[in-house]
Amino acid sequence: QVQLVESGGGLVQPGGSLRLSCAASGSIFSINTMGWYRQAPGKERELVADITSSGAPNYADSVKGRFAISRDNVKNTVYLQMNSLKPEDTAVYYCNAYVRTITNFVFYNYWTQGTQVTVSS
């Protein structure tokens, strides 16, 4: 099976930075798109950024120029560098990955349980 483990959330002051990491492990054959989503209280889950297996990033307009997504295909890990954080970035952040295992011919969508990011003074 596949496990996604994320780390790096926490409390940060406005204008500060955080880096999230998400590592996939298990019976992995290949990983397609990896990404980060977030859900604030009372709001729907939304895409923050994702990145293809070839490294092409995609960002939500609200984070362009402040956040940077990257991945290490050897380590099966995706990162989200978050700079110039704002209170409106406060949310639970989820890692997502489309993974094909060694026993399947299709890609399945895997999620983490989420990590809290709080931006507050």
Side-chain angles (χ1 to χ4, degrees), residues 3-116:
Q3 298 81 39
L4 290 182
V5 178
E6 65 184 318
S7 60
L11 172 64
V12 64
Q13 292 187 342
S17 298
L18 280 176
R19 189 191 195 209
L20 303 181
S21 300
C22 174
S25 62
S27 304
I28 297 171
F29 181 81
S30 65
I31 303 177
N32 199 337
T33 299
M34 303 182 81
W36 293 94
Y37 288 71
R38 68 186 181 187
Q39 187 167 20
K43 295 187 177 182
E44 294 186 352
R45 190 175 298 188
E46 62 176 1
L47 173 69
V48 177
D50 60 21
I51 185 167
T52 67
S53 57
S54 59
N58 173 53
Y59 297 98
D61 288 343
S62 59
V63 306
K64 283 181 181 177
R66 300 188 298 122
F67 291 11
I69 190 170
S70 60
R71 64 189 284 173
D72 184 329
N73 289 335
V74 174
K75 297 181 179 180
N76 291 331
T77 300
V78 62
Y79 307 95
L80 185 68
Q81 178 66 43
M82 304 185 291
N83 300 323
S84 303
L85 282 160
K86 305 175 181 180
E88 50 263 43
D89 294 317
T90 296
V92 177
Y93 283 70
Y94 300 88
C95 175
N96 169 265
Y98 285 87
V99 181
R100 177 186 166 187
T101 66
I102 60 176
T103 57
N104 284 297
F105 293 99
V106 296
F107 286 88
Y108 287 96
N109 194 10
Y110 291 87
W111 292 89
T112 59
Q113 292 188 333
T115 186
Q116 179 69 45

